[in-house]
């Protein structure tokens, strides 16, 4: 993966997209090596991998439903050592997602699906990560909300200089967002290249874009 | 019953019949208690082992059975042998009735409720309005029965044979219950209660029934135990009695009929051995065994025996 | 009327103790969905440690705080060594382990300190300069100590990052790992805290019930009742439940059913609440997916 870029991971149901993300985070056992900034990280505990600067927006968002929005964000920064900058970053998140500020003292469980997804992204960004893993950020959201979210992701990528690895079912949207993309089938990468190239690829068009 | 099981049962029966003629009276008395415990464990195992309902208060049913016998013998002069079925019937009803509300309690909550029952039992037995029958804190002393028909046995030997006969009957009953339709339903409810319901098993009925039958076994054991020790008193039926029964099924083997016998031998003899170290030692050992068995041998002694047999056969 | 008030205040004093122990139960329940049947015996054991320290000549309050520290460490160690291996085992296996723990603590206490009943000192003066009509100084003191413990806990969970992390770990372990929380340690910490709270309850109740290895069995039953009344997943409910159960016990015991059936009050409350309102009066209703 290229640093500071957005990579999309495409594939059909059961191809191993989510598993790839979970493997990076040490949530499932794996064979082979996973390198981050040149160092192998496989076999490490999830907690320790997070401390290296890999944030994960999991499948299902992983919101702490009974805590407030603000407490969710504070938890995102739990593993950070530079406590001084946390308040500043929290304000930045509220600037990206003003809706979260309005609901900062509300229980996160009362937020709408889109708001929860925004919260999940902000919570992950509160780690000030080098790499952000996003598992199906569009899942269950209205197209308009997805568009809004993806635009903000693009901005964040540019402003915060954080690399992103996005798993998506919605290939068209993902290719709009990403710089590069990989297609995996039953656990193997079958195709990879820039997003623009993949969009033109016939096989991809037929199988994933549907035209 | 299969031929093999019948064979093993017969051999066991012969050995069991020979025991009182080679052992001292005191040892014979201890073996009687082993049989009593075995019946109680069989009862608890039907509920907890086979049906998955945790009871930490089965001492209450043991106490109920014991008091039934003691009161019938002491106040109404009923002969001891006639009190046993009465104690069993009373406990069957009591267990079924307690099982009805217990239906709504799953796992941990049932454990909590029965734990409370076990802790509160001695107090209930001491209640002053019942004192007329129960004898309050003093309890009731009952007479040791002597052998009938002029049999050439001493009372300890006779009581042993009497208990052995009932125990054999209870084991056969349990065996048939567990191997049959009812047993399969109980296990199905334990493992997959929703699927069991979907297959048309009436969960509520079977669970209450399991409670009733389980209490009946344990109550019969309590009744026999009262006759054997010739005495009932509230403080001998405290929470530690219930815990002793739990130790018995864990060590003997959950969901195993033969396990009841192994467990009974364990809870009868280990305290005797350990008592020589310290008054507290039996319980320390019980505790360590409980945790140890969960970690290392979750199927208990019965499971280990099965494993050894299978290895031999292979 | 005076007699009634006296019973109500006595109930509040013991209720505070039940509330503390119930809170300890709720903390462990929230984190692991388990009910710690050994919570009472853990408290009893710590109280013996305090007794030994005081016997050795240590001033009361020094012994008090050292005991809390020891209880904390013991609780955390028990979690890591005894409970960790059965974390994902069946309910039955876990209950058996808890009961095993109960029995071991009970017998080891009997072994070391004998089964003879001992008196345990109260740190509060016998007589107060101002008159107290309805309660003894120890009862007032016990209420005070309970309130302080509750406030400290509230502040810890509400305002510190560690407290927040513990709440998060209890709610959603997987997400907690993803933000870098060491969930295993949070569980051990929770057990430590629960044991520490329990030790305070033990030291406060010991002057009333006297010290012996079985002193907590009744208290534990009331704590169960309190936790269930409040809803076993709600710390505030447990506290309110503790006071309610304490008052009920004393008032019913004194005027309605007599002291000899007091434990049955707990039994009836437990079964009653479980049947009528299993989620308690302040708990969340749990919906299970099948």
């Amino acid at each position: 993966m290229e640093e500071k870029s957005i990579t999309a991971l495409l594939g059909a149901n059961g191809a191993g997209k989510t598993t790839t993300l979970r493997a990076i985070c040490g949530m499932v056992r794996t064979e082979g090596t996973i390198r981050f900034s040149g160092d192998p990280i496989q076999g490490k505990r999830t907690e320790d991998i997070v401390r290296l600067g890999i944030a994960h927006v999991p499948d299902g968002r992983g919101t702490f439903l009974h805590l407030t929005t603000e407490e969710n964000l504070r938890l995102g920064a739990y593993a950070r050592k530079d406590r001084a900058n946390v308040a500043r970053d929290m304000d930045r998140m509220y600037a990206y997602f003003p809706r979260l500020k309005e609901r900062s003292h509300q229980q996160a469980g009362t937020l709408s699906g889109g708001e929860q997804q925004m919260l999940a992204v902000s919570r992950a960004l509160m780690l000030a990560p080098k790499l952000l893993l996003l598992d199906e950020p569009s899942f269950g959201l209205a197209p308009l909300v997805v568009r809004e979210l993806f635009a903000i992701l693009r901005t964040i990528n540019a402003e915060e200089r954080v690399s992103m690895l996005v798993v998506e079912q919605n290939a068209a949207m993902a290719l709009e967002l990403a710089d590069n993309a990989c297609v995996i089938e039953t656990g193997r990468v079958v195709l990879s290249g820039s997003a623009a190239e993949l969009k033109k690829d016939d096989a991809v068009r037929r199988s994933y874009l549907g035209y | 019953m299969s031929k093999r099981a019948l064979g093993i049962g017969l051999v066991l029966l012969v050995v069991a019949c020979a025991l009182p003629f080679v052992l001292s009276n005191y040892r014979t008395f201890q073996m009687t208690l082993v049989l009593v415990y075995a019946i109680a464990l069989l009862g608890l195992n039907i509920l907890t082992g086979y049906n998955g309902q945790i009871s930490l208060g089965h001492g209450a049913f043991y106490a109920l059975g014991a008091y039934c016998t003691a009161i019938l013998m002491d106040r109404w002069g009923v002969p001891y042998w006639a009190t046993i079925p009465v104690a069993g019937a009373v406990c069957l009803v009591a267990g079924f009735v307690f099982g009805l509300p217990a239906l709504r309690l799953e796992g941990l909550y049932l454990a909590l409720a029965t734990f409370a029952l076990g802790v509160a039992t001695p107090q209930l037995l001491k209640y002053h309005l019942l004192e007329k029958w129960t004898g309050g804190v003093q309890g009731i002393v009952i007479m040791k029965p002597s052998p009938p028909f002029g049999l050439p046995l001493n009372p300890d030997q006779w009581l042993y044979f009497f208990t052995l006969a009932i125990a054999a009957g209870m084991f056969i009953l349990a065996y048939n219950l567990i191997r049959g339709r009812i047993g399969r339903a109980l296990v199905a409810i334990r493992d997959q209660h929703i699927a069991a319901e979907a297959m048309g098993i009436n969960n509520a009925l079977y669970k209450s029934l399991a409670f009733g039958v389980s209490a009946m076994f344990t109550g019969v054991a309590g009744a026999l135990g009262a006759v054997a020790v010739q005495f009932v008193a509230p403080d001998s039926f405290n929470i530690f009695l219930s815990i002793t029964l739990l130790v018995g099924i864990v060590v003997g083997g959950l969901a195993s009929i033969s396990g009841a016998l192994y467990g009974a031998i364990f809870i009868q003899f280990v305290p005797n051995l350990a008592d020589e170290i310290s008054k507290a030692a039996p319980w320390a050992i019980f505790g360590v065994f409980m945790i140890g068995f969960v970690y290392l041998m979750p199927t208990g002694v019965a499971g280990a025996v099965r494993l050894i047999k299978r290895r031999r056969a292979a | 009327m005076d007699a009634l008030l006296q019973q109500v205040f006595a109930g509040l004093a013991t209720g505070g103790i039940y509330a503390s122990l119930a809170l300890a139960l709720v903390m462990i329940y929230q984190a692991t969905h388990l009910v710690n049947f050994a919570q009472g015996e853990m408290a009893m054991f710590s109280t013996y440690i305090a007794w030994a320290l005081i016997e050795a000549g240590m001033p009361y309050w020094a012994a008090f705080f050292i005991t809390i520290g020891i209880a904390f460490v013991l609780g955390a160690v028990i979690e890591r060594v005894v409970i960790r291996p059965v974390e994902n085992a069946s309910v039955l296996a876990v209950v058996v382990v808890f009961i095993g723990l109960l029995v071991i603590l009970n017998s080891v206490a009997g072994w070391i300190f004998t089964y003879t009943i001992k008196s345990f000192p109260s740190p509060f003066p016998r007589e107060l300069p101002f008159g107290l009509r309805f309660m003894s100084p120890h009862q007032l003191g016990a209420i005070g100590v309970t309130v302080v413990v509750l406030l400290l806990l509230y502040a810890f969970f509400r305002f510190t990052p560690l407290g927040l992390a513990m709440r998060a770990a209890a709610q959603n372990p997987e997400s907690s790992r993803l933000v870098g929380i060491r969930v295993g340690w949070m569980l051990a910490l929770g057990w430590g805290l629960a044991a520490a709270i329990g030790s305070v309850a033990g030291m406060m109740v010991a002057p009333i019930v006297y010290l012996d290895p079985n002193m907590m069995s009744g208290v534990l039953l009331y704590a169960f009742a309190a936790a269930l009344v409040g809803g076993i997943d709600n710390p505030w409910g447990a506290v309110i439940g503790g006071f309610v159960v304490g008052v009920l016990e004393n008032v019913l015991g004194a005027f309605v059913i007599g002291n000899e059936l007091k434990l049955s009050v707990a039994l009836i409350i437990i079964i009653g609440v479980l049947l009528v309102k299993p989620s308690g009066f302040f708990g969340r209703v749990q919906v299970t997916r099948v």
Side-chain angles (χ1 to χ4, degrees):
Chain A
M1 248 190 85
E2 235 173 273
E3 233 173 283
K4 316 272 184 278
S5 71
I6 301 182
T7 306
L9 201 54
L10 308 175
N13 276 339
K17 303 182 304 266
T18 296
T19 310
T20 308
L21 294 195
R22 293 173 66 90
I24 295 174
C25 278
M27 292 160 81
V28 288
R29 299 224 154 273
T30 48
E31 287 173 17
T33 39
I34 301 166
R35 286 178 188 281
F36 180 65
S37 314
D39 302 317
I41 56 167
Q42 78 278 5
K44 286 196 182 202
R45 279 195 243 171
T46 307
E47 299 96 294
D48 298 319
I49 291 169
V50 169
R51 277 158 213 268
L52 295 173
I54 300 182
H56 187 161
V57 178
D59 177 22
R61 303 181 191 122
T63 313
F64 298 96
L65 299 174
H66 303 301
L67 301 180
T68 65
T69 303
E70 193 174 315
E71 285 171 332
N72 268 273
L73 293 179
R74 267 166 56 200
L75 280 171
Y78 178 78
R80 266 169 79 164
K81 296 195 180 65
D82 54 334
R83 288 279 154 89
N85 298 330
V86 169
R88 190 203 63 204
D89 283 359
M90 185 117 59
D91 287 336
R92 281 240 294 280
M93 294 309 136
Y94 285 146
Y96 287 129
F97 302 107
R99 291 255 282 290
L100 294 182
K101 188 168 177 66
E102 290 163 29
R103 310 202 185 283
S104 63
H105 293 289
Q106 230 167 293
Q107 274 208 354
T110 64
L111 268 52
S112 74
E115 287 163 349
Q116 282 193 33
Q117 191 67 56
M118 291 172 193
L119 178 58
V121 172
S122 333
R123 193 185 65 221
L125 286 170
M126 284 300 288
L127 182 69
K130 298 192 190 103
L131 171 64
L132 179 64
L133 308 175
L134 292 146
D135 198 342
E136 304 251 3
S138 73
F139 184 80
L141 302 185
L144 217 62
V145 182
V146 177
R147 205 165 295 271
E148 188 188 355
L149 182 69
F150 277 25
I152 296 174
L153 285 177
R154 197 73 251 190
T155 322
I156 291 170
N157 172 250
E159 287 181 7
E160 314 273 329
R161 320 217 18 90
V162 47
S163 331
M164 296 183 185
L165 180 59
V166 187
V167 157
E168 261 299 348
Q169 290 266 354
N170 187 338
M173 283 287 227
L175 289 175
E176 288 288 321
L177 173 72
D179 304 307
N180 302 307
C182 298
V183 177
I184 57 176
E185 269 169 24
T186 58
R188 276 171 214 294
V189 175
V190 291
L191 201 64
S192 65
S194 77
E197 280 166 27
L198 257 69
K199 236 186 283 184
K200 293 195 199 99
D201 186 281
D202 275 345
V204 173
R205 260 182 34 195
R206 241 176 289 120
S207 324
Y208 301 108
L209 299 176
Y211 56 86
Chain B
M1 229 187 282
S2 74
K3 262 190 184 156
R4 227 177 93 81
L6 203 66
I8 294 173
L10 278 176
V11 171
L12 270 178
L13 205 63
V14 170
V15 173
C17 287
L19 275 179
F21 301 106
V22 291
L23 295 177
S24 69
N25 279 347
Y26 179 63
R27 292 280 171 218
T28 305
F29 164 71
Q30 284 183 323
M31 292 313 292
T32 308
L33 286 185
V34 168
L35 294 171
V36 167
Y37 280 137
I39 300 171
L41 294 181
L42 212 47
L44 182 56
N45 226 339
I46 289 173
L47 184 70
T48 303
Y50 286 99
N51 197 216
Q53 302 191 68
I54 304 172
S55 172
L56 300 177
H58 246 48
F61 297 111
Y62 189 92
L64 185 60
Y67 266 91
C68 278
T69 288
I71 291 169
L72 286 173
M73 285 175 72
D74 185 53
R75 303 294 129 129
W76 284 294
V78 179
Y80 65 96
W81 50 266
T83 65
I84 310 290
V86 180
V90 168
C91 287
L92 179 71
V93 174
F96 190 81
V97 170
F98 193 87
L100 286 176
L103 279 179
R104 299 188 46 186
L105 308 180
E106 278 192 28
L108 212 51
Y109 292 106
L110 183 62
L112 251 173
T114 49
F115 183 80
L117 177 68
V119 172
T121 299
Q123 256 198 4
L124 289 168
L125 294 174
K126 285 178 202 164
Y127 188 47
H128 70 270
L129 288 182
L130 300 174
E131 208 166 329
K132 207 158 33 152
W133 295 289
T134 59
V137 186
Q138 305 301 323
I140 305 168
V141 177
I142 47 186
M143 297 300 290
K144 187 181 263 187
S146 43
F149 324 119
L151 285 173
L153 295 169
N154 64 39
D156 283 315
Q157 288 171 330
W158 163 242
L159 200 60
Y160 172 83
F161 281 114
F162 179 69
T163 310
L164 182 63
I166 294 179
M170 297 304 261
F171 267 82
I172 293 169
L173 177 62
Y175 187 94
N176 288 329
L177 217 60
I178 293 301
R179 293 298 136 107
R181 236 177 90 79
I182 295 177
R184 282 196 301 276
L186 292 183
V187 173
I189 291 169
R190 175 191 70 189
D191 294 339
Q192 289 291 339
H193 67 104
I194 292 158
E197 186 89 74
M199 285 180 341
I201 296 172
N202 184 341
N203 277 8
L205 178 69
Y206 276 101
K207 281 171 93 169
S208 318
L209 206 63
F211 230 111
V213 170
S214 166
M216 189 261 284
F217 273 78
T218 307
V220 166
L224 288 166
V227 176
V229 299
Q230 304 162 59
F231 178 57
V232 291
D235 287 317
S236 46
F237 303 114
N238 59 17
I239 183 70
F240 286 99
L241 172 63
S242 301
I243 296 178
T244 304
L245 297 178
L246 185 68
V247 175
I249 61 167
V250 169
V251 170
L254 290 162
S256 149
I257 289 176
S258 57
L261 207 54
Y262 304 129
I265 293 171
F266 182 87
I267 57 179
Q268 172 59 31
F269 289 110
V270 165
N272 275 332
L273 297 175
D275 238 355
E276 287 161 23
I277 309 172
S278 149
K279 191 188 160 203
W283 283 104
I285 290 174
F286 274 8
V288 170
F289 267 84
M290 279 168 102
I291 297 179
F293 268 81
V294 168
Y295 287 168
L296 307 172
M297 227 158 101
T299 49
V301 175
V305 170
R306 271 199 300 275
L307 207 70
I308 292 167
K309 271 193 205 149
R310 214 169 294 155
R311 289 239 175 96
R312 282 249 180 91
Chain C
M1 193 62 203
D2 274 15
L4 179 66
L5 279 178
Q6 212 155 11
Q7 291 301 332
V8 169
F9 280 111
L12 288 178
T14 42
I17 292 160
Y18 302 154
S20 310
L21 203 62
L23 198 60
L25 290 168
V26 167
M27 280 182 57
I28 289 181
Y29 184 84
Q30 280 190 313
T32 55
H33 286 260
L34 299 172
V35 172
N36 182 4
F37 285 90
Q39 197 79 58
E41 309 308 285
M42 284 165 65
M44 172 276 294
F45 203 84
S46 328
T47 311
Y48 267 108
I49 293 173
W51 176 82
L53 291 175
I54 293 168
E55 282 291 293
M58 195 178 276
Y60 182 92
W61 290 108
F64 180 84
F65 288 110
I66 290 177
T67 301
I68 294 177
I70 295 175
F72 178 87
V73 173
L74 275 180
V77 168
I78 286 177
E79 197 280 332
R80 300 234 56 146
V81 177
V82 184
I83 307 302
R84 182 66 48 91
V86 284
E87 220 172 29
N88 298 314
S90 68
V91 177
L92 178 59
V94 179
V95 168
V96 171
V97 168
F98 278 138
I99 296 290
L101 202 57
L102 179 158
V103 163
I104 290 175
L105 288 170
N106 187 288
S107 60
V108 171
W111 205 328
I112 303 176
F113 302 105
T114 76
Y115 289 93
T116 333
I117 292 171
K118 297 176 168 61
S119 67
F120 189 86
S122 162
F124 309 108
R126 251 170 212 293
E127 301 285 333
L128 285 181
F130 50 93
L132 272 176
R133 227 172 112 201
F134 298 116
M135 61 201 316
S136 72
H138 179 78
Q139 287 173 334
L140 183 66
I143 295 177
V145 168
T146 310
V147 170
V148 170
V149 167
L150 295 179
L151 289 177
L152 284 176
L153 275 178
Y154 174 75
F156 172 74
F157 281 112
R158 187 77 181 74
F159 300 117
T160 68
L162 194 59
L164 178 61
M166 283 179 68
R167 281 195 286 155
Q171 267 184 34
N172 193 336
E174 187 165 81
S175 287
S176 299
R177 286 198 186 91
L178 285 178
V179 297
I181 295 169
R182 296 184 197 284
V183 174
W185 280 109
M186 295 301 134
L187 286 181
L189 209 59
W191 269 76
L193 268 182
I197 301 167
S199 73
V200 175
M203 287 185 278
M204 287 298 118
V205 81
I208 304 170
V209 301
Y210 296 105
L211 189 56
D212 87 294
N214 298 317
M215 71 181 220
M216 293 304 276
S217 66
V219 180
L220 180 68
L221 220 51
Y222 284 112
F224 281 153
L228 289 171
V229 166
I232 194 145
D233 56 0
N234 183 335
W236 294 110
V239 171
I240 297 168
F243 286 108
V244 169
V245 169
V247 171
L248 268 182
E249 174 213 354
N250 275 276
V251 172
L252 289 180
F255 303 114
V256 185
I257 52 165
N259 279 327
E260 45 174 348
L261 274 186
K262 268 186 170 186
L263 278 180
S264 315
V265 175
L267 172 67
I268 291 163
I269 294 175
I270 289 173
I271 295 180
V273 172
L274 284 176
L275 290 181
V276 178
K277 209 159 168 27
S279 56
F281 291 93
F282 307 98
R284 273 196 283 270
V285 177
Q286 294 287 335
V287 180
T288 319
R289 281 190 60 147
V290 297

